Amino acid sequence: MLFAVHELESEICKLRGLLQMLHEDQPDVLEDVFEFHVGSLISHAGAEHHGYIRTCAQEMLAAVRALPRHSGSSEPTFRLMPDMLARPA
């Protein structure tokens, strides 16, 4: 199955979001996931789109790597229902 152009653009946007999440949370697997998904996109696109996919993907990866990382600790930063914890019983 080959992607239509609009589907290809959508999949590239999804990949960008995934890479941004991995950059923050799991940078050690970023490269492997990137290679897998780019290979998948190329295998589902016509030969005339392969160069575009590669170029777009490399630019995207460089842009994501240039972003600052916000997660400094490995512990979760979310709290469920903090008001309930602050009230006396």
Coordinates of all heavy atoms in Angstrom, one line a residue:
M1 N 0.8 -1.2 0.0 CA 0.0 0.0 0.0 C 0.9 1.2 0.0 O 1.8 1.4 0.9 CB -0.9 0.0 1.2 CG -1.7 1.3 1.4 SD -2.7 1.3 2.9 CE -1.5 2.0 4.1
L2 N 0.7 2.1 -0.9 CA 1.4 3.4 -1.0 C 0.6 4.5 -0.4 O -0.6 4.6 -0.6 CB 1.8 3.7 -2.4 CG 2.8 2.7 -3.1 CD1 3.0 3.2 -4.6 CD2 4.1 2.6 -2.4
F3 N 1.3 5.4 0.3 CA 0.6 6.6 0.9 C 0.3 7.6 -0.2 O 1.2 7.8 -1.1 CB 1.5 7.2 1.9 CG 1.6 6.5 3.2 CD1 2.8 6.3 3.8 CD2 0.4 6.1 3.9 CE1 2.9 5.7 5.1 CE2 0.5 5.4 5.1 CZ 1.7 5.3 5.7
A4 N -0.8 8.2 -0.1 CA -1.1 9.4 -1.0 C -0.3 10.6 -0.3 O 0.1 10.5 0.8 CB -2.6 9.7 -1.0
V5 N -0.1 11.6 -1.1 CA 0.7 12.8 -0.6 C 0.1 13.3 0.7 O 0.9 13.6 1.6 CB 0.7 13.9 -1.7 CG1 1.4 15.1 -1.2 CG2 1.4 13.4 -2.9
H6 N -1.2 13.5 0.8 CA -1.7 14.1 2.1 C -1.5 13.1 3.3 O -1.3 13.5 4.4 CB -3.2 14.4 1.9 CG -4.1 13.3 1.8 ND1 -4.3 12.7 0.5 CD2 -4.9 12.7 2.6 CE1 -5.1 11.7 0.7 NE2 -5.5 11.7 2.0
E7 N -1.6 11.8 3.0 CA -1.3 10.8 4.1 C 0.2 10.8 4.5 O 0.5 10.7 5.6 CB -1.7 9.4 3.6 CG -3.2 9.2 3.4 CD -3.5 7.9 2.7 OE1 -2.7 7.5 1.8 OE2 -4.5 7.2 3.1
L8 N 1.0 11.0 3.5 CA 2.5 11.1 3.8 C 2.8 12.3 4.7 O 3.5 12.2 5.6 CB 3.2 11.2 2.4 CG 4.7 11.2 2.5 CD1 5.2 9.9 3.2 CD2 5.3 11.3 1.1
E9 N 2.2 13.4 4.4 CA 2.4 14.6 5.2 C 1.9 14.4 6.6 O 2.5 14.8 7.6 CB 1.7 15.8 4.5 CG 2.3 16.3 3.3 CD 3.7 16.9 3.5 OE1 4.0 17.4 4.6 OE2 4.5 16.8 2.6
S10 N 0.7 13.7 6.7 CA 0.2 13.4 8.0 C 1.1 12.5 8.8 O 1.3 12.7 10.0 CB -1.2 12.8 7.9 OG -1.7 12.4 9.1
E11 N 1.6 11.5 8.2 CA 2.6 10.6 8.9 C 3.9 11.3 9.3 O 4.4 11.0 10.3 CB 2.9 9.4 8.0 CG 1.7 8.5 7.7 CD 1.1 7.9 9.0 OE1 1.9 7.4 9.9 OE2 -0.1 7.9 9.2
I12 N 4.3 12.2 8.5 CA 5.5 13.0 8.8 C 5.3 13.8 10.1 O 6.1 13.9 11.0 CB 6.0 13.8 7.6 CG1 6.6 12.8 6.6 CG2 7.1 14.8 8.1 CD1 7.0 13.5 5.3
C13 N 4.1 14.4 10.1 CA 3.7 15.2 11.3 C 3.6 14.4 12.6 O 4.1 14.8 13.6 CB 2.4 16.0 11.1 SG 2.5 17.3 10.0
K14 N 3.1 13.2 12.4 CA 3.0 12.3 13.5 C 4.4 11.9 14.0 O 4.7 11.8 15.2 CB 2.2 11.0 13.2 CG 0.8 11.2 13.0 CD 0.1 9.9 12.6 CE -1.3 10.1 12.0 NZ -1.8 8.9 11.5
L15 N 5.3 11.6 13.1 CA 6.7 11.3 13.4 C 7.3 12.5 14.2 O 8.1 12.2 15.1 CB 7.5 10.9 12.2 CG 9.0 10.6 12.4 CD1 9.1 9.5 13.3 CD2 9.6 10.3 11.0
R16 N 7.1 13.7 13.8 CA 7.7 14.8 14.4 C 7.2 14.9 15.9 O 8.0 15.0 16.8 CB 7.2 16.1 13.7 CG 7.8 17.4 14.4 CD 7.4 18.6 13.6 NE 8.1 18.7 12.4 CZ 7.4 18.7 11.2 NH1 6.1 18.6 11.1 NH2 8.1 18.7 10.1
G17 N 5.9 14.6 16.1 CA 5.4 14.6 17.5 C 6.1 13.5 18.3 O 6.4 13.7 19.5
L18 N 6.2 12.3 17.7 CA 6.8 11.2 18.4 C 8.3 11.5 18.8 O 8.7 11.2 19.9 CB 6.7 9.9 17.5 CG 7.4 8.7 18.1 CD1 6.8 8.2 19.4 CD2 7.4 7.6 17.0
L19 N 9.0 12.1 17.9 CA 10.4 12.4 18.1 C 10.5 13.4 19.2 O 11.4 13.4 20.0 CB 11.1 12.9 16.8 CG 11.3 11.9 15.7 CD1 11.9 12.5 14.5 CD2 12.1 10.7 16.2
Q20 N 9.6 14.4 19.3 CA 9.7 15.4 20.3 C 9.4 14.8 21.7 O 10.1 15.1 22.7 CB 8.6 16.5 20.1 CG 9.0 17.4 18.9 CD 8.0 18.4 18.5 OE1 6.8 18.2 18.8 NE2 8.4 19.4 17.8
M21 N 8.5 13.8 21.8 CA 8.2 13.1 23.0 C 9.4 12.3 23.4 O 9.9 12.3 24.6 CB 7.0 12.3 22.9 CG 5.7 13.0 22.9 SD 4.2 12.0 23.0 CE 4.5 10.7 21.8
L22 N 10.0 11.6 22.5 CA 11.2 10.8 22.8 C 12.4 11.6 23.2 O 13.1 11.2 24.1 CB 11.5 9.9 21.6 CG 10.6 8.8 21.3 CD1 11.0 8.1 20.0 CD2 10.5 7.8 22.4
H23 N 12.5 12.8 22.6 CA 13.6 13.7 22.9 C 13.5 14.1 24.4 O 14.6 14.1 25.1 CB 13.5 14.9 22.0 CG 14.6 16.0 22.3 ND1 15.9 15.8 22.1 CD2 14.4 17.2 22.9 CE1 16.5 16.9 22.5 NE2 15.7 17.8 22.9
E24 N 12.3 14.3 24.9 CA 12.1 14.6 26.3 C 12.3 13.5 27.2 O 12.9 13.6 28.2 CB 10.7 15.2 26.5 CG 10.6 16.6 25.9 CD 11.3 17.7 26.7 OE1 11.4 17.5 27.9 OE2 11.8 18.6 26.1
D25 N 11.6 12.3 26.9 CA 11.5 11.2 27.8 C 12.4 10.1 27.6 O 12.8 9.4 28.6 CB 10.0 10.7 27.8 CG 9.0 11.8 28.1 OD1 9.3 12.7 28.9 OD2 7.9 11.8 27.6
Q26 N 12.8 9.8 26.4 CA 13.6 8.6 26.1 C 14.6 8.9 25.0 O 14.6 8.3 24.0 CB 12.8 7.4 25.7 CG 11.8 6.9 26.8 CD 11.0 5.8 26.4 OE1 10.4 5.9 25.3 NE2 10.9 4.8 27.2
P27 N 15.5 9.8 25.2 CA 16.5 10.2 24.2 C 17.4 9.0 23.7 O 17.9 9.1 22.6 CB 17.3 11.3 24.8 CG 17.1 11.2 26.3 CD 15.8 10.5 26.5
D28 N 17.5 8.0 24.6 CA 18.4 6.9 24.2 C 17.8 6.0 23.1 O 18.6 5.3 22.4 CB 18.7 6.0 25.4 CG 17.4 5.6 26.1 OD1 16.5 6.4 26.3 OD2 17.4 4.4 26.6
V29 N 16.5 6.1 22.8 CA 16.0 5.3 21.8 C 15.5 6.2 20.6 O 15.0 5.6 19.6 CB 14.7 4.5 22.2 CG1 15.2 3.5 23.3 CG2 13.6 5.4 22.7
L30 N 15.8 7.4 20.6 CA 15.4 8.4 19.6 C 15.9 8.0 18.2 O 15.1 7.9 17.2 CB 15.9 9.8 19.9 CG 15.6 10.9 18.9 CD1 14.1 11.2 18.9 CD2 16.4 12.1 19.2
E31 N 17.2 7.7 18.1 CA 17.8 7.3 16.8 C 17.2 6.0 16.2 O 16.8 6.0 15.0 CB 19.3 7.2 16.9 CG 20.0 7.1 15.6 CD 20.1 8.4 14.9 OE1 20.1 9.4 15.5 OE2 20.1 8.3 13.6
D32 N 17.0 5.0 17.0 CA 16.4 3.8 16.6 C 15.0 3.9 16.1 O 14.6 3.4 15.0 CB 16.5 2.7 17.7 CG 17.9 2.3 18.0 OD1 18.8 2.4 17.1 OD2 18.1 1.8 19.1
V33 N 14.2 4.6 16.8 CA 12.8 4.9 16.5 C 12.7 5.7 15.2 O 11.9 5.4 14.3 CB 12.0 5.5 17.6 CG1 10.6 6.0 17.2 CG2 11.9 4.6 18.8
F34 N 13.6 6.7 15.1 CA 13.6 7.5 13.9 C 13.9 6.7 12.7 O 13.2 6.7 11.7 CB 14.7 8.6 14.1 CG 15.0 9.4 12.8 CD1 14.1 10.4 12.5 CD2 16.1 9.1 12.1 CE1 14.4 11.1 11.3 CE2 16.4 9.9 10.9 CZ 15.5 10.9 10.5
E35 N 15.0 5.8 12.7 CA 15.4 5.0 11.6 C 14.2 4.1 11.2 O 14.0 3.9 10.0 CB 16.6 4.2 11.9 CG 17.9 5.1 12.0 CD 18.3 5.8 10.7 OE1 18.0 5.3 9.6 OE2 18.9 6.9 10.8
F36 N 13.6 3.5 12.2 CA 12.5 2.5 11.9 C 11.4 3.2 11.2 O 10.9 2.7 10.1 CB 12.0 1.9 13.2 CG 10.8 1.1 13.0 CD1 10.9 -0.2 12.5 CD2 9.5 1.6 13.3 CE1 9.7 -1.0 12.3 CE2 8.4 0.8 13.1 CZ 8.5 -0.5 12.6
H37 N 10.9 4.4 11.7 CA 9.8 5.0 11.1 C 10.1 5.7 9.7 O 9.2 5.6 8.9 CB 9.2 6.1 12.1 CG 8.4 5.5 13.2 ND1 7.1 5.0 13.0 CD2 8.7 5.2 14.4 CE1 6.7 4.5 14.1 NE2 7.6 4.6 15.0
V38 N 11.3 6.2 9.6 CA 11.6 6.7 8.2 C 11.7 5.6 7.2 O 11.2 5.7 6.1 CB 13.0 7.5 8.3 CG1 13.5 7.8 6.9 CG2 12.8 8.8 9.1
G39 N 12.2 4.4 7.6 CA 12.3 3.3 6.7 C 10.9 2.8 6.4 O 10.6 2.5 5.2
S40 N 10.0 2.9 7.3 CA 8.6 2.5 7.1 C 7.9 3.5 6.2 O 7.2 3.1 5.2 CB 7.8 2.5 8.4 OG 6.5 2.1 8.3
L41 N 8.1 4.8 6.4 CA 7.6 5.8 5.5 C 8.1 5.6 4.0 O 7.3 5.6 3.1 CB 7.9 7.2 5.9 CG 7.1 7.7 7.1 CD1 7.7 9.1 7.6 CD2 5.7 7.9 6.8
I42 N 9.3 5.3 3.9 CA 9.9 5.1 2.6 C 9.3 3.9 1.9 O 9.0 3.9 0.7 CB 11.5 5.1 2.6 CG1 12.0 6.5 2.9 CG2 12.1 4.5 1.4 CD1 13.4 6.6 3.2
S43 N 9.2 2.8 2.7 CA 8.7 1.6 2.1 C 7.2 1.7 1.7 O 6.7 0.9 0.9 CB 8.8 0.4 3.0 OG 8.0 0.5 4.2
H44 N 6.5 2.7 2.2 CA 5.1 2.9 1.9 C 4.8 4.1 1.0 O 3.7 4.6 0.8 CB 4.2 3.0 3.1 CG 4.1 1.8 3.9 ND1 4.9 1.4 4.9 CD2 3.2 0.8 3.8 CE1 4.6 0.2 5.3 NE2 3.5 -0.2 4.7
A45 N 5.9 4.6 0.4 CA 5.8 5.8 -0.5 C 6.3 5.4 -1.9 O 7.2 4.6 -2.0 CB 6.5 7.0 0.1
G46 N 5.9 6.1 -2.8 CA 6.4 5.9 -4.2 C 7.9 6.4 -4.3 O 8.3 7.3 -3.5
A47 N 8.6 5.8 -5.2 CA 10.0 6.2 -5.4 C 10.3 7.7 -5.6 O 11.3 8.2 -5.1 CB 10.6 5.4 -6.5
E48 N 9.3 8.3 -6.2 CA 9.5 9.8 -6.4 C 9.4 10.6 -5.1 O 9.8 11.8 -5.1 CB 8.4 10.3 -7.4 CG 7.0 10.3 -6.9 CD 6.3 9.0 -7.0 OE1 6.9 7.9 -7.4 OE2 5.0 8.9 -6.8
H49 N 9.0 10.0 -4.0 CA 8.9 10.7 -2.7 C 10.0 10.4 -1.8 O 10.2 11.0 -0.7 CB 7.6 10.4 -2.0 CG 6.4 10.9 -2.8 ND1 6.1 12.2 -3.1 CD2 5.4 10.2 -3.4 CE1 5.0 12.3 -3.8 NE2 4.5 11.1 -4.0
H50 N 10.9 9.4 -2.1 CA 11.9 8.9 -1.2 C 12.9 10.1 -0.8 O 13.2 10.2 0.4 CB 12.7 7.8 -1.8 CG 11.8 6.5 -1.9 ND1 12.4 5.3 -2.3 CD2 10.5 6.3 -1.6 CE1 11.4 4.4 -2.2 NE2 10.3 5.0 -1.9
G51 N 13.3 10.8 -1.8 CA 14.3 11.9 -1.5 C 13.7 13.0 -0.6 O 14.3 13.5 0.4
Y52 N 12.4 13.3 -0.8 CA 11.7 14.3 0.0 C 11.6 13.8 1.4 O 11.8 14.5 2.4 CB 10.3 14.5 -0.6 CG 9.4 15.3 0.3 CD1 9.6 16.7 0.4 CD2 8.4 14.7 1.0 CE1 8.8 17.5 1.3 CE2 7.5 15.5 1.8 CZ 7.8 16.8 2.0 OH 6.9 17.6 2.8
I53 N 11.2 12.5 1.6 CA 11.1 11.9 2.9 C 12.4 12.0 3.7 O 12.5 12.4 4.8 CB 10.5 10.5 2.9 CG1 9.1 10.5 2.3 CG2 10.6 9.8 4.2 CD1 8.6 9.1 2.0
R54 N 13.5 11.6 3.0 CA 14.8 11.6 3.7 C 15.2 13.0 4.1 O 15.7 13.2 5.2 CB 15.8 11.0 2.7 CG 15.7 9.5 2.7 CD 16.9 8.9 1.9 NE 16.8 7.4 1.8 CZ 16.4 6.8 0.8 NH1 16.0 7.5 -0.3 NH2 16.3 5.5 0.8
T55 N 15.0 13.9 3.2 CA 15.4 15.3 3.4 C 14.6 15.9 4.6 O 15.1 16.5 5.5 CB 15.3 16.2 2.2 OG1 16.1 15.7 1.2 CG2 15.6 17.6 2.5
C56 N 13.3 15.7 4.5 CA 12.4 16.2 5.5 C 12.7 15.6 6.9 O 12.8 16.2 7.9 CB 11.0 15.9 5.1 SG 9.7 16.8 6.0
A57 N 13.0 14.3 6.9 CA 13.2 13.5 8.1 C 14.5 14.0 8.8 O 14.6 14.2 10.0 CB 13.3 12.0 7.8
Q58 N 15.6 14.2 8.0 CA 16.9 14.7 8.5 C 16.7 16.1 9.1 O 17.3 16.3 10.2 CB 18.0 14.6 7.4 CG 18.4 13.2 7.1 CD 19.0 12.4 8.2 OE1 19.6 13.0 9.1 NE2 18.7 11.1 8.3
E59 N 16.0 16.9 8.4 CA 15.8 18.3 8.9 C 15.0 18.2 10.2 O 15.3 19.0 11.2 CB 15.1 19.1 7.9 CG 15.9 19.5 6.7 CD 15.1 20.2 5.6 OE1 13.9 20.4 5.7 OE2 15.7 20.5 4.6
M60 N 14.0 17.4 10.3 CA 13.2 17.2 11.5 C 14.0 16.7 12.6 O 13.9 17.2 13.8 CB 12.0 16.3 11.2 CG 11.1 16.0 12.3 SD 9.9 14.7 12.0 CE 9.7 14.7 10.3
L61 N 14.8 15.7 12.4 CA 15.7 15.2 13.5 C 16.6 16.2 14.0 O 16.8 16.4 15.2 CB 16.4 13.9 13.0 CG 17.3 13.2 14.0 CD1 16.5 12.7 15.1 CD2 18.1 12.1 13.3
A62 N 17.2 17.0 13.1 CA 18.2 18.0 13.6 C 17.4 19.1 14.4 O 17.9 19.6 15.4 CB 18.8 18.7 12.3
A63 N 16.2 19.4 14.0 CA 15.4 20.4 14.7 C 15.0 19.9 16.1 O 15.1 20.7 17.1 CB 14.2 20.8 13.9
V64 N 14.6 18.7 16.2 CA 14.2 18.1 17.5 C 15.4 18.0 18.4 O 15.4 18.3 19.6 CB 13.6 16.7 17.2 CG1 13.4 16.0 18.6 CG2 12.2 16.9 16.6
R65 N 16.6 17.6 17.9 CA 17.8 17.5 18.7 C 18.2 18.8 19.2 O 18.8 18.9 20.3 CB 18.9 16.9 17.9 CG 18.8 15.4 17.8 CD 20.0 14.8 17.0 NE 20.0 13.4 16.9 CZ 20.6 12.7 16.0 NH1 21.3 13.3 15.1 NH2 20.5 11.4 16.0
A66 N 17.9 19.9 18.5 CA 18.3 21.2 18.9 C 17.4 21.8 20.0 O 17.8 22.8 20.6 CB 18.3 22.2 17.7
L67 N 16.3 21.2 20.2 CA 15.4 21.7 21.2 C 15.9 21.4 22.6 O 16.6 20.4 22.8 CB 14.0 20.9 21.1 CG 13.2 21.2 19.9 CD1 12.0 20.2 19.9 CD2 12.7 22.6 19.9
P68 N 15.7 22.3 23.6 CA 16.1 22.1 24.9 C 15.3 20.9 25.5 O 14.1 20.8 25.2 CB 15.9 23.4 25.6 CG 14.8 24.1 24.8 CD 15.0 23.6 23.4
R69 N 15.9 20.2 26.4 CA 15.2 19.1 27.1 C 14.7 19.7 28.4 O 15.5 20.3 29.2 CB 16.1 17.9 27.4 CG 16.4 17.2 26.1 CD 17.0 15.9 26.3 NE 16.2 15.0 27.1 CZ 16.8 14.3 28.1 NH1 18.1 14.2 28.3 NH2 16.0 13.5 28.9
H70 N 13.5 19.5 28.8 CA 12.9 20.1 30.0 C 12.8 19.1 31.1 O 12.8 19.5 32.3 CB 11.4 20.6 29.7 CG 11.4 21.6 28.7 ND1 11.9 22.9 28.9 CD2 11.0 21.6 27.4 CE1 11.8 23.6 27.8 NE2 11.2 22.9 26.9
S71 N 12.9 17.8 30.8 CA 12.8 16.8 31.9 C 14.2 16.6 32.5 O 15.0 16.0 31.9 CB 12.2 15.5 31.4 OG 12.9 15.0 30.4
G72 N 14.4 17.1 33.7 CA 15.7 16.9 34.3 C 15.8 15.7 35.2 O 16.9 15.2 35.4
S73 N 14.7 15.3 35.8 CA 14.7 14.2 36.7 C 14.0 13.0 36.1 O 13.2 13.2 35.2 CB 14.1 14.5 38.1 OG 12.7 14.6 37.9
S74 N 14.3 11.8 36.6 CA 13.7 10.6 36.1 C 12.4 10.3 36.8 O 11.7 9.4 36.5 CB 14.6 9.5 36.2 OG 15.0 9.2 37.5
E75 N 12.0 11.1 37.8 CA 10.8 10.9 38.6 C 9.7 11.6 38.0 O 9.8 12.7 37.4 CB 11.0 11.3 40.0 CG 12.1 10.5 40.7 CD 12.0 10.7 42.2 OE1 11.0 11.1 42.7 OE2 13.0 10.4 42.9
P76 N 8.5 11.1 38.0 CA 7.3 11.8 37.5 C 7.0 13.1 38.1 O 7.3 13.3 39.3 CB 6.1 10.8 37.7 CG 6.7 9.6 38.4 CD 8.1 9.8 38.7
T77 N 6.5 14.1 37.4 CA 6.2 15.4 37.9 C 4.8 15.7 38.1 O 4.4 16.8 38.3 CB 6.9 16.5 37.1 OG1 6.4 16.3 35.7 CG2 8.4 16.4 37.1
F78 N 3.9 14.7 37.9 CA 2.5 14.9 38.0 C 2.0 14.4 39.3 O 2.6 13.6 40.0 CB 1.7 14.2 36.9 CG 1.9 12.7 36.9 CD1 1.1 11.8 37.6 CD2 3.0 12.1 36.1 CE1 1.3 10.5 37.6 CE2 3.1 10.7 36.1 CZ 2.3 9.9 36.9
R79 N 0.9 15.0 39.8 CA 0.3 14.6 41.0 C -1.2 14.6 40.8 O -1.8 15.5 40.3 CB 0.6 15.6 42.1 CG 2.1 15.6 42.5 CD 2.4 16.6 43.6 NE 1.2 17.0 44.4 CZ 1.3 17.8 45.4 NH1 2.5 18.3 45.7 NH2 0.2 18.1 46.1
L80 N -1.8 13.5 41.2 CA -3.2 13.3 41.1 C -3.9 13.9 42.3 O -3.6 13.6 43.4 CB -3.6 11.8 40.9 CG -3.0 11.2 39.7 CD1 -3.4 9.7 39.7 CD2 -3.5 11.8 38.4
M81 N -4.9 14.8 42.0 CA -5.7 15.4 43.1 C -4.9 16.0 44.2 O -5.0 15.6 45.4 CB -6.7 14.4 43.6 CG -7.6 13.8 42.5 SD -8.7 12.5 43.0 CE -9.8 13.3 44.2
P82 N -4.0 16.9 44.0 CA -3.2 17.5 45.1 C -4.0 18.1 46.2 O -3.5 18.2 47.3 CB -2.3 18.5 44.3 CG -2.9 18.7 43.1 CD -3.7 17.5 42.7
D83 N -5.2 18.7 45.9 CA -6.0 19.3 46.9 C -6.4 18.3 48.0 O -6.5 18.6 49.2 CB -7.3 19.9 46.4 CG -7.2 20.5 45.0 OD1 -6.1 20.6 44.5 OD2 -8.2 20.8 44.5
M84 N -6.7 17.1 47.6 CA -7.1 16.1 48.5 C -6.0 15.7 49.5 O -6.2 15.4 50.6 CB -7.6 14.8 47.8 CG -8.7 15.0 46.8 SD -10.2 15.7 47.7 CE -10.8 14.3 48.5
L85 N -4.8 15.8 49.0 CA -3.6 15.4 49.9 C -3.4 16.5 50.9 O -2.9 16.3 52.0 CB -2.4 15.1 49.1 CG -2.5 13.9 48.1 CD1 -1.3 13.9 47.2 CD2 -2.7 12.7 48.9
A86 N -3.7 17.8 50.6 CA -3.4 18.9 51.4 C -4.4 19.1 52.5 O -4.1 19.7 53.5 CB -3.3 20.2 50.5
R87 N -5.6 18.6 52.4 CA -6.6 18.7 53.4 C -6.5 17.8 54.6 O -6.1 16.6 54.4 CB -8.0 18.5 52.8 CG -8.5 19.6 52.0 CD -10.0 19.4 51.8 NE -10.1 19.2 50.3 CZ -11.2 18.7 49.8 NH1 -12.2 18.3 50.5 NH2 -11.3 18.5 48.5
P88 N -6.7 18.3 55.8 CA -6.7 17.3 56.9 C -7.9 16.4 56.9 O -9.0 16.8 56.4 CB -6.8 18.3 58.2 CG -7.2 19.6 57.7 CD -6.9 19.6 56.2
A89 N -7.7 15.2 57.4 CA -8.8 14.2 57.3 C -9.9 14.4 58.2 O -10.0 15.0 59.2 CB -8.2 12.8 57.6

